[in-house]
Amino acid sequence: SLFEIQKMTTSEAIKHFGSSKELARALNIDWSAVRHWGAYPPVGRQAQLQVMTAGKLRAEPFGESK
């Protein structure tokens, strides 16, 4: 079977942690920072979230755009 690679979205990350406040707490950042991410977390945060979630959330490969 083929695996579809999807961009990590802010909404997926929030859903994984239960709320934007819990996501911010997990990253040790202010909740207001998460609110300013837009549709996708910053690349550095995506990498951090991929490690923290053992790959359940996957960072966008550098240079890829789908």
Side-chain angles (χ1 to χ4, degrees):
S1 66
L2 297 174
F3 293 94
E4 184 178 331
I5 298 186
Q6 296 181 320
K7 292 181 180 181
M8 180 191 304
T9 64
T10 299
S11 60
E12 282 178 326
I14 290 169
K15 184 177 177 182
H16 180 85
F17 285 92
S19 72
S20 56
K21 289 183 180 182
E22 289 301 318
L23 170 59
R25 184 175 288 126
L27 292 169
N28 198 30
I29 60 174
D30 193 80
W31 173 63
S32 63
V34 174
R35 293 188 308 150
H36 294 290
W37 283 358
Y40 302 100
V43 173
R45 294 296 180 195
Q46 288 188 33
Q48 191 177 3
L49 288 166
Q50 180 172 319
V51 171
M52 288 175 67
T53 64
K56 289 178 183 163
L57 295 173
R58 298 196 51 119
E60 173 75 359
F62 182 74
E64 290 281 324
S65 59
K66 292 185 180 178

